[in-house]
Amino acid sequence: MGVEDGNVDVAAVDIEVDAFRRLFPLQYYERHFKESIRPDARPLGTSRTTCVTLGDVSSADGSSFVKIGSTLYSPDEGCLAIEFHMPPVCSPLVRPGRHAEEAPVIDKQLSDVILSSGMIHLKELSLISGKAAWMDYLDVYCLDADGSLFDGALLSAVAAFSSCKLSHS
């Protein structure tokens, strides 16, 4: 169980705690609640340290940077945000003011395929470990929903990423 020569293997304990949290989430959080602490060891009545700065992006009309505690999900990785758009012009079935039902499904499929294929390595988007990273936005617009929506979206994504150049300076 991760104990060698009286020393506890911290990695093994972390894996066991994570497994318990995933397998028994209710019991995991109830245990913390009974002890009046949060899973990150803060007392229940204590909030995270919050920092807000305004105007960090000089090229934007308005910008802000917000940090709440140590909320870096993956401190050595960037992020990829994908959105598949189906405006009403693409099909008579898409109504103005309503999202097409297919759009979120294609969003998820694109994200899964792009990240699992190794086309984008999120670690390569890190600028300063734990402090700054690129966030890539991929917006795909369908102009004619005549079939093969996912294939067209994926081909568009591959083409866009193949010509994308990020400055790491």
Side-chain angles (χ1 to χ4, degrees), residues 15-82:
I15 290 170
E16 290 175 15
V17 170
D18 188 51
F20 180 76
R21 180 183 58 81
R22 290 174 187 242
L23 292 171
F24 306 102
L26 183 60
Q27 291 86 344
Y28 175 81
Y29 290 107
E30 280 178 344
R31 187 172 178 186
H32 284 89
F33 184 69
K34 285 178 187 173
E35 295 176 15
S36 296
I37 61 167
R38 298 174 188 264
D40 65 0
R42 279 183 299 125
L44 288 179
T46 305
S47 63
R48 292 184 180 106
T49 303
T50 303
C51 173
V52 178
T53 60
L54 302 175
D56 285 339
V57 180
S58 61
S59 60
D61 292 330
S63 67
S64 67
F65 172 81
V66 176
K67 183 175 182 194
I68 302 173
S70 296
T71 54
L72 292 172
Y73 180 69
S74 297
D76 295 326
E77 294 182 355
C79 189
L80 177 62
I82 296 175

Side-chain angles (χ1 to χ4, degrees), residues 70-156:
S70 296
T71 54
L72 292 172
Y73 180 69
S74 297
D76 295 326
E77 294 182 355
C79 189
L80 177 62
I82 296 175
E83 198 163 339
F84 182 76
H85 303 274
M86 293 182 70
V89 70
C90 77
S91 168
L93 300 176
V94 178
R95 303 273 184 227
R98 300 184 69 193
H99 292 287
E101 292 178 16
E102 299 92 337
V105 174
I106 294 175
D107 286 349
K108 176 76 170 113
Q109 289 175 325
L110 281 173
S111 180
D112 290 347
V113 168
I114 289 169
L115 292 174
S116 68
S117 71
M119 180 190 327
I120 301 291
H121 298 283
L122 297 180
K123 288 191 182 293
E124 291 179 6
L125 298 177
S126 177
L127 294 170
I128 301 169
S129 181
K131 296 191 183 229
W134 288 107
M135 180 165 185
D136 282 354
Y137 291 92
L138 174 65
D139 288 295
V140 179
Y141 286 86
C142 175
L143 300 179
D144 187 357
D146 190 29
S148 300
L149 296 178
F150 175 74
D151 294 342
L154 182 59
L155 183 57
S156 175

